[in-house]
Amino acid sequence: MADTYIGAIDQGTTGTRFMVFDHAGQVVANAYEQHEQIYPEPGWVEHDPIEIWENTQEVVTRGLRDGGLDASQLEALGITNQRETTVVWDAETGKPVHNAIVWQDRRTTDRVEQLEEEDKVGWIREKTGLEADAYFAATKAEWILDNAEPLKLQSSRGESVRDRADAGELMMGTIDTWLIYNLTGEHITDVTNASRTMLYDIEGLNWDPELLEEFGVPESMLPEVRPSSDEATYGSTDPDGFLGAEVPVAGALGDQQAALFGQTCFDAGDAKNTYGTGSFYLMNTGDEAVSSEHGLLTTIGFQMSGEPVQYALEGSIFITGAAIEWLEDVDLINNAAQTAELARSVESTDGVYMVPAFTGLGAPHWDGRARGTIVGMTRGTRKEHIVRATLESIAYQTRDIAEAMEADSGVETTSLRVDGGAVKNDFLCQLQSDIIQTEIARPEVDETTALGSAYAAGLAVGYWDSVDELRDNWQVDREFTPEMDAEEADRMYGRWDDAVERSLDWAREE
């Protein structure tokens, strides 16, 4: 009998990855495809949902082929996804009515400021655990219903998008929902993704009628909410479809919760930070939804079949890895690997600070009108200083979150598990350890978002028996301990706040 595996579709901000894992949590197949970033106006970011679905089929097919595997060897599929990115589509044709509006998009900042003026921020936070921000799906869905062109619905009746939504003819979801729908025909999301919409009551565990009314989103548009690891499964792929096999889709987690799961942070107090396009620092708080007094989000960490929801505190940093991409875009570096070499070539930034607020600032500042800022430059500033300042900005933003996390949870972080593309950079990992004065643990398998969704799906179908089996799979690649004097780290970090202050509330004309 052929060996069996678990497949994971990791649909991220810049591309789609398919990975196949064995019982030991080791990668046996891997394929990746980028998709286009669409910027219709400054601060607006869109993706083509059709391109994402086509790329998903391509990477799954190519990954299996290159790995010498057959789809029938997959016991289940898990999905992980860029979380707040929002799609609305026609229930009859399955065609999107508009491009997906990406989590980074700031077009609804005015709407958020209206909520602030109406004193609704605390009301929203109490129900959802979230700050009122353009980051989340609610204002994106509202914008699509008010602004998508009826022609894109190919409707001969000429009805508005909102009219068709009210008539139950449209569906909405985050990218996990879009992929589950295309894979299985079912309209389903999991609790972690639902918790990122700003429409979901995270303690009542239901779509909140008052929030739906506030944002004008009919409940008929919304997916059914299921556990992240679901023994009942979300449905199966069509044996006559692109896979040529009937494979259950049994697990889904928003990408940051998937990384928490993949890093086996199953106990209260366990924490991880993922360095991708942005960085997302999550701490498991167990079955208690801990309210934040320091600008963090209270969110759902995961839920397994028949078990209570596990909550998390989250610090969302919008731009970290994307700041390194920006260095490449403006020709300060040729590739990401060059950053360590350039940063090491100077002893310090020579007083330069870079605040990468390209799409506003997330936790703990929550300023949608902040913009990217470089301060402290002199005639002697060279590109090496700016590159080093960019890497330091990643470490400083993480310390912002670490300090807020300790203040809210009362738990001192002694070790932080890290993952994501940027942690391949040893210089950054050491710098991070120095700035937050904490041990950094980098696992052998650093694609923990894909691994987490595979674990969720595999547990659901009995491929793995328990979370203890998954803990045994987790292996450290390398640990980094602070080498910098604590006083020096505090001194460097002390001026970071001054630099952030200069970036705030900049984009008034938008």
Side-chain angles (χ1 to χ4, degrees):
M1 181 177 143
D3 290 334
T4 60
Y5 307 95
I6 300 292
I9 297 167
D10 181 356
Q11 204 302 295
T13 307
T14 55
T16 306
R17 186 178 299 281
F18 177 66
M19 303 185 82
V20 179
F21 296 92
D22 63 15
H23 277 282
Q26 297 298 306
V27 179
V28 296
N30 188 353
Y32 179 77
E33 191 71 41
Q34 281 190 314
H35 60 258
E36 182 184 4
Q37 306 296 309
I38 302 164
Y39 305 105
E41 294 187 28
W44 293 28
V45 192
E46 297 179 358
H47 293 156
D48 178 355
I50 299 293
E51 181 188 12
I52 285 175
W53 169 235
E54 289 173 348
N55 285 0
T56 300
Q57 295 172 81
E58 161 65 22
V59 294
V60 171
T61 305
R62 176 161 29 104
L64 291 172
R65 183 183 67 237
D66 292 354
L69 304 174
D70 188 85
S72 62
Q73 292 176 264
L74 298 177
E75 289 201 18
L77 283 171
I79 292 173
T80 182
N81 57 290
Q82 46 168 327
R83 294 175 297 180
E84 298 78 10
T85 298
T86 304
V87 189
V88 175
W89 66 95
D90 185 296
E92 186 177 342
T93 66
K95 301 291 188 215
V97 307
H98 190 274
N99 278 337
I101 300 183
V102 178
W103 59 271
Q104 300 160 311
D105 188 282
R106 307 309 303 176
R107 76 186 67 186
T108 59
T109 297
D110 286 345
R111 177 68 170 105
V112 171
E113 289 172 348
Q114 180 189 343
L115 294 168
E116 292 168 354
E117 289 163 9
E118 294 171 357
D119 202 24
K120 291 179 176 175
V121 172
W123 171 68
I124 289 171
R125 189 189 301 118
E126 188 178 334
K127 290 173 178 286
T128 67
L130 307 176
E131 290 290 325
D133 195 82
Y135 175 30
F136 304 108
T139 61
K140 302 180 193 300
E142 181 183 42
W143 189 95
I144 291 173
L145 294 183
D146 287 336
N147 295 281
E149 300 198 11
L151 284 176
K152 294 192 177 175
L153 287 168
Q154 300 173 336
S155 168
S156 60
R157 295 186 293 261
E159 293 165 308
S160 74
V161 176
R162 188 167 282 288
D163 286 342
R164 294 209 64 199
D166 290 337
E169 297 175 11
L170 300 183
M171 292 178 166
M172 170 206 157
T174 42
I175 294 291
D176 61 305
T177 309
W178 171 244
L179 293 181
I180 291 168
Y181 173 80
N182 281 286
L183 286 163
T184 70
E186 302 294 335
H187 191 210
I188 286 171
T189 192
D190 93 296
V191 287
T192 67
N193 281 292
S195 77
R196 310 301 292 192
T197 60
M198 215 160 71
L199 298 170
Y200 192 72
D201 183 333
I202 62 168
E203 295 196 68
L205 302 180
N206 60 281
W207 296 116
D208 185 85
E210 292 178 335
L211 290 171
L212 297 183
E213 184 178 356
E214 172 68 38
F215 296 105
V217 176
E219 189 165 2
S220 61
M221 289 183 71
L222 293 165
E224 179 187 353
V225 183
R226 296 276 200 88
S228 315
S229 175
D230 192 358
E231 291 173 2
T233 81
Y234 308 142
S236 296
T237 59
D238 184 349
D240 298 322
F242 80 99
L243 257 185
E246 191 171 341
V247 182
V249 182
L253 292 146
D255 52 10
Q256 303 313 318
Q257 286 93 336
L260 189 76
F261 209 80
Q263 288 272 33
T264 66
C265 295
F266 300 131
D267 299 323
D270 290 346
K272 70 88 200 175
N273 194 27
T274 298
Y275 299 76
T277 301
S279 283
F280 300 86
Y281 189 134
L282 272 74
M283 177 186 282
N284 185 331
T285 61
D287 56 11
E288 181 187 0
V290 175
S291 297
S292 175
E293 302 296 326
H294 298 86
L296 302 179
L297 305 177
T298 304
T299 197
I300 293 178
F302 56 86
Q303 183 186 25
M304 295 194 280
S305 285
E307 296 189 13
V309 160
Q310 298 288 296
Y311 293 94
L313 278 171
E314 174 175 330
S316 310
I317 304 168
F318 293 159
I319 300 290
T320 52
I324 295 171
E325 292 173 4
W326 175 79
L327 292 174
E328 199 169 341
D329 292 343
V330 296
D331 294 330
L332 287 175
I333 60 172
N334 297 322
N335 54 65
Q338 197 182 7
T339 56
E341 173 194 342
L342 288 169
R344 279 197 189 96
S345 72
V346 288
E347 290 186 5
S348 72
T349 67
D350 217 12
V352 174
Y353 283 77
M354 194 272 206
V355 183
F358 301 142
T359 57
L361 285 172
H365 310 285
W366 294 107
D367 184 346
R369 296 192 183 276
R371 286 296 178 267
T373 307
I374 301 175
V375 296
M377 291 193 294
T378 67
R379 186 65 182 82
T381 300
R382 304 196 310 277
K383 71 177 180 180
E384 290 85 352
H385 297 117
I386 294 173
V387 169
R388 184 171 180 129
T390 302
L391 292 182
E392 287 189 3
S393 78
I394 296 173
Y396 294 141
Q397 290 182 101
T398 303
R399 177 160 167 174
D400 281 345
I401 303 301
E403 294 196 346
M405 197 76 72
E406 288 187 3
D408 277 332
S409 69
V411 177
E412 182 181 356
T413 304
T414 56
S415 179
L416 180 64
R417 297 185 175 192
V418 300
D419 54 75
V423 303
K424 295 178 175 68
N425 184 328
D426 288 351
F427 179 86
L428 175 62
C429 289
Q430 184 59 56
L431 179 67
Q432 185 67 87
S433 179
D434 289 339
I435 295 298
I436 63 172
Q437 292 288 296
T438 293
E439 179 186 279
I440 298 291
R442 182 174 67 194
E444 281 185 1
V445 178
D446 59 11
E447 291 290 352
T448 51
T449 49
L451 181 61
S453 68
Y455 279 167
L459 284 168
V461 299
Y463 187 77
W464 289 288
D465 292 330
S466 70
V467 294
D468 290 333
E469 201 176 340
L470 307 183
R471 284 191 182 97
D472 292 341
N473 284 347
W474 193 82
Q475 300 293 326
V476 171
D477 169 56
R478 182 171 170 184
E479 291 181 333
F480 299 83
T481 55
E483 295 176 355
M484 183 184 290
D485 180 76
E487 287 186 9
E488 175 65 7
D490 290 345
R491 184 195 66 76
M492 291 168 62
Y493 178 65
R495 291 231 69 189
W496 166 250
D497 280 343
D498 298 334
V500 169
E501 189 65 33
R502 285 156 175 77
S503 76
L504 299 177
D505 198 33
W506 183 263
R508 278 284 124 199
E509 74 284 354
E510 292 176 23

